[in-house]
């Protein structure tokens, strides 16, 4: 049976792991390569890097980081942030990323998704959607540029469109919950997972193990991404695994031989 | 103390090979990456990874890789195909109906049926039913694919996985082994497979 995935995420800025609250107020949490290696040893199912470096020069450090990380972990690595062109995707894949996530560039030119998917395979293309709840409380708007620009696009409609265009996976982040530790926006997660036939990663808001459980049980996510709870050392990956298994969620057994 | 095996990883331009190379180096293999068909045709052991589109794979087969790989398989050397490297062993794929695979085995590569409950790609860790000594029955491996192999000869099947029904996860014949999942992304289970391949009877 296909198991639900636990994905520790590293927000990387200028070569360091940082984490903010609602996309702002960043704190330094360590060396990305070391963090990734620790998560790998702890039995993460995948690892994600989101690069929030602004300057072009500093982005070069990202490639080196991705290379060193990919060489030292034995699970898939997703890398995103600032990906604008097909060459950006190629460079990240060549550096060792297994999947590359695109956000702003996909909104600006949806054909970019189809083009990238055709060139590198749907399995390598993740579309990241930053979602903000609308004033009506029942719908969500797609935001780009690290959450700074509204697009007017409806999240569920956009998710369907990117899946049809060839996205292999959707990384769905609730901007309202990101970094708050209030839990995923479960209505958002459920709305998107029920609308598309590609896997959906729930993101934004995890503060407790119950939040990750609910992402699967209520949001029907295929994977749960979390950042702060792992960096803070509040929980280790195996704590999550044990907790989810006890809650009846199918997760990969770990630490019992190699099975 | 086991012998350090010489392994040639085939670079057909189908994705990054670094993770595969690293996984073999961790298992103490001496790794060469080659995109030269004449060298590939003479190799003592081949590892053929691949991600991406079957169409690109078919183009690479036409460019000279096809003959080199078929020759090596015919010589009976230890051979490991991974993901697209498994799919290319068959005649053709629904992904690119007019493109030819290596045709080493009869059979086809088909897309997962689209229904409301099955997410495609099949992405993540799934447990296998395995009958081959490289694998442990019940172990979890990392899969990421939208198409899967349907060998005409069912006796080739070395492992199956349940995803909307029973799906071929690995095949084996003589010294050839190929898997749909990614051993290089499958932590200890994958490392065990690679070590088993390097120490398997194919080398004797």
């Amino acid at each position: 049976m296909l198991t639900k995935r636990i994905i520790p995420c590293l927000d990387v800025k200028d070569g360091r792991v940082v984490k903010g609250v609602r996309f702002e107020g960043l704190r330094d949490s360590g060396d990305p390569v070391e963090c990734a290696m620790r998560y790998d040893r702890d039995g993460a199912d995948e690892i994600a890097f989101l690069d929030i470096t602004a300057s072009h020069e500093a982005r070069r450090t990202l490639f080196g980081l991705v290379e060193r990380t990919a060489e030292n972990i034995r699970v898939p690595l997703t890398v995103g942030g600032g990906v604008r062109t097909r060459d950006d995707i190629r460079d990240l894949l060549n550096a060792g990323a297994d999947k590359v996530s695109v956000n702003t560039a996909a909104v600006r030119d949806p054909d970019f998704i189809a083009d990238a998917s055709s060139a590198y395979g749907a399995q390598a293309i993740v579309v990241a959607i930053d979602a903000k709840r609308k004033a009506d409380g029942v719908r969500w708007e797609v935001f780009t540029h690290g959450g700074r620009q509204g697009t007017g696009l409806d999240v569920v409609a956009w998710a369907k469109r990117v899946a049809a265009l060839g996205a292999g996976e959707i990384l769905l982040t609730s901007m309202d919950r990101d970094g708050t530790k209030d839990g995923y926006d479960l209505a958002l997660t459920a709305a998107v997972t029920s609308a598309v036939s590609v896997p959906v990663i729930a993101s934004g808001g995890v503060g407790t193990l119950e939040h990750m459980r609910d992402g699967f049980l209520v949001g029907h996510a295929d994977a749960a991404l979390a950042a702060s709870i792992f960096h803070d050392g509040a929980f280790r990956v195996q704590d999550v695994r044990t907790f989810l298994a006890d809650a009846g969620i199918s997760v990969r057994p770990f630490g019992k031989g190699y099975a | 103390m086991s012998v350090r095996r010489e392994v040639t990883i085939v670079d057909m331009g189908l994705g990054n090979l670094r993770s595969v190379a690293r996984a073999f180096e961790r298992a103490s293999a001496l790794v060469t990456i080659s995109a030269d068909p004449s060298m590939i045709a003479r190799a003592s052991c081949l590892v053929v990874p691949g991600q991406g589109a079957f169409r690109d794979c078919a183009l690479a087969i036409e460019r000279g890789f096809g003959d080199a790989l078929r020759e090596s398989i015919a010589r009976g050397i230890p051979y490991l195909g991974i993901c697209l490297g498994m799919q290319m062993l068959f005649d053709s794929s629904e992904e690119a109906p007019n493109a030819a695979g290596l045709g080493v085995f009869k059979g086809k590569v088909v897309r997962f049926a689209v229904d409301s409950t099955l997410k495609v790609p099949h992405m993540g860790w799934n447990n296998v039913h395995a009958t081959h000594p490289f694998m442990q029955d019940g172990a979890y491996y990392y899969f990421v694919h939208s198409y899967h192999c349907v060998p005409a000869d069912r006796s080739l099947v070395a492992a199956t996985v349940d995803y909307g029904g029973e799906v071929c996860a690995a095949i084996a014949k003589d010294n050839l082994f190929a898997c749909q999942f990614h051993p290089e992304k499958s932590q200890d289970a994958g490392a065990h497979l690679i070590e088993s391949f390097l120490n398997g009877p194919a080398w004797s």
Side-chain angles (χ1 to χ4, degrees), chain A residues 1-3 40 45-46 71 74-76 93-94 96 98-99 123 168-169 197-198 222 252-254 258-259, chain B residues 16 18 22 26 52 55 119-121 123-127 136 140 142 144 163 185-189 192:
Chain A
M1 186 184 192
L2 182 65
T3 52
D40 179 47
D45 292 319
E46 290 181 23
E71 295 217 330
R74 303 181 300 161
V75 294
L93 292 174
N94 284 340
D98 297 287
K99 305 186 240 182
Q123 87 290 335
E169 187 167 44
S197 63
V198 297
D222 300 285
R252 176 171 63 113
F254 185 73
Y258 63 81
Chain B
N16 179 19
R18 196 186 302 253
R22 274 290 286 159
R26 275 195 204 100
R55 178 197 63 227
K119 299 280 180 117
V120 179
M123 187 183 281
W125 295 80
N126 204 335
N127 57 340
Q136 180 177 298
Y140 287 76
Y142 190 87
V144 52
Y163 197 63
K185 299 289 168 190
S186 296
Q187 292 195 323
D188 289 354
H192 176 267

Side-chain angles (χ1 to χ4, degrees), chain B residues 12-91:
Chain B
M12 299 170 72
L14 303 170
N16 179 19
L17 307 173
R18 196 186 302 253
S19 298
V20 177
R22 274 290 286 159
F24 275 85
E25 284 164 3
R26 275 195 204 100
S28 298
L30 293 165
V31 172
T32 306
I33 295 178
S34 177
D36 174 5
S38 64
M39 186 177 166
I40 290 162
R42 294 193 309 270
S44 59
C45 166
L46 287 180
V47 175
V48 188
Q51 290 137 47
F54 195 87
R55 178 197 63 227
D56 297 335
C57 174
L59 291 173
I61 286 171
E62 281 177 21
R63 280 204 310 272
F65 284 102
D67 289 339
L69 293 175
R70 279 186 290 257
E71 271 176 46
S72 292
I73 292 168
R75 283 191 292 118
I77 60 165
Y79 188 104
L80 176 65
I82 299 171
C83 196
L84 198 52
M86 173 189 186
Q87 296 181 1
M88 73 170 74
L89 293 164
F90 293 87
D91 299 316

Side-chain angles (χ1 to χ4, degrees), chain A residues 104-178:
Chain A
T104 303
V107 172
R108 190 182 293 139
D109 175 18
D111 288 339
F112 179 53
I113 301 168
D115 186 44
S117 177
S118 157
Y120 304 110
Q123 87 290 335
I125 307 302
V126 180
V127 172
I129 302 178
D130 290 341
K132 189 167 187 164
R133 206 179 264 258
K134 289 183 182 175
D136 67 9
V138 294
R139 284 178 301 164
W140 298 266
E141 181 182 350
V142 177
F143 273 66
T144 57
H145 297 83
R148 292 189 301 275
Q149 273 186 33
T151 64
L153 290 169
D154 176 72
V155 166
V156 173
W158 176 238
K160 284 183 182 174
R161 181 140 184 243
V162 303
L165 284 167
E169 187 167 44
I170 290 171
L171 168 54
L172 179 66
T173 302
S174 163
M175 290 179 55
D176 306 292
R177 299 297 180 88
D178 189 69

